[in-house]
Amino acid sequence: MEAAGAEVLHLDVMDGHFVPNISFGVPVIEKLRPVSKLFFDTHLMIADPVKYAEPFIKAGGNLLTFHIEVTDAPMKVVEHIRGLGGRAGVSLNPGTEASALWPVIEVVDLVLVMSVWPGFGGQKFIPDALDKLRAIRPRLRPDQRLEVDGGIGPDTAPPVVRAGADTLVAGSAVFSGPDAGLRFRELERIALEAEQP
Ligand code: ZN
């Protein structure tokens, strides 16, 4: 993916508690780190991000994104991740109101809007995510990223970009066929074209 021009590798970590599936964890990221120069955007779909933040940072995660649904003290989670030397992102599920983010929105490096229910790949994009992106975008500074994850492909990339997303996560749209590099470049072109006024 580096050869295709990707800058960020989005890593979906699932614990089987917060989401009904298990993907991979620290050992896989440790193995990837020496073979990739990409920024590791580590999406922690886990119930206890504070407990596991340190091993994920030590394994090579550059940014850790936790879910707002798992904590009553999101500021503490952000401070904990920063204290370990990582950047901090916050995510919300389709069922969570954007306003749940307001207590930490000014201090995070990234907001990740889930446009499917987390836990499985290959799901269909939930259009409500567009309203959420539009509600969040005006509250972010230029140095903060607005990312969207779930069901992103050639059809959904333009509307999410127009709604304010600047970072798009694609899984199936890139990897579910031959020549992932070509699919990546095509999706990037479509997203950049949508950005034109
Ligand atoms: Zn993700």
Side-chain angles (χ1 to χ4, degrees):
M1 290 321 292
E2 285 167 272
E7 295 162 20
V8 174
L9 184 63
H10 183 87
L11 299 160
D12 279 327
V13 175
M14 304 177 191
D15 67 352
H17 291 280
F18 177 63
V19 288
N21 201 5
I22 295 175
S23 58
F24 56 81
V26 168
V28 168
I29 297 173
E30 257 169 5
K31 291 278 193 308
L32 283 172
R33 188 67 284 179
V35 298
S36 176
K37 292 188 177 68
L38 293 171
F39 185 89
F40 281 6
D41 164 20
T42 313
H43 180 192
L44 298 178
M45 288 171 268
I46 69 175
D48 194 344
V50 168
K51 184 172 176 187
Y52 295 102
E54 187 168 7
F56 278 106
I57 296 275
K58 282 189 170 159
N62 301 101
L63 176 140
L64 302 186
T65 295
F66 66 96
H67 269 263
I68 196 74
E69 296 87 3
V70 305
T71 179
D72 295 328
M75 198 60 109
K76 287 216 169 90
V77 183
V78 171
E79 285 167 2
H80 183 73
I81 294 169
R82 289 266 170 68
L84 294 164
R87 295 199 215 171
V90 66
S91 184
L92 77 176
N93 280 342
T96 305
E97 296 289 332
S99 57
L101 302 176
W102 301 163
V104 280
I105 193 127
E106 287 177 19
V107 299
V108 292
D109 296 292
L110 173 145
V111 171
L112 171 58
V113 171
M114 288 304 300
S115 43
V116 299
W117 283 94
F120 298 91
Q123 296 183 66
K124 208 169 167 297
F125 179 81
I126 300 171
D128 290 358
L130 297 173
D131 287 336
K132 222 175 263 183
L133 290 167
R134 286 187 208 106
I136 294 166
R137 180 80 258 177
R139 293 181 177 252
L140 296 178
R141 299 181 306 271
D143 63 304
Q144 295 174 296
R145 306 295 290 259
L146 181 54
E147 184 176 46
V148 59
D149 185 4
I152 300 299
D155 297 337
T156 49
V160 298
V161 168
R162 288 195 290 264
D166 55 37
T167 307
L168 276 52
V169 177
S172 309
V174 171
F175 295 107
S176 67
D179 205 344
L182 186 73
R183 285 158 174 265
F184 172 82
R185 285 189 295 271
E186 177 63 7
L187 189 57
E188 187 182 42
R189 185 187 64 75
I190 291 168
L192 288 172
E193 273 178 18
E195 215 170 25
Q196 308 300 325

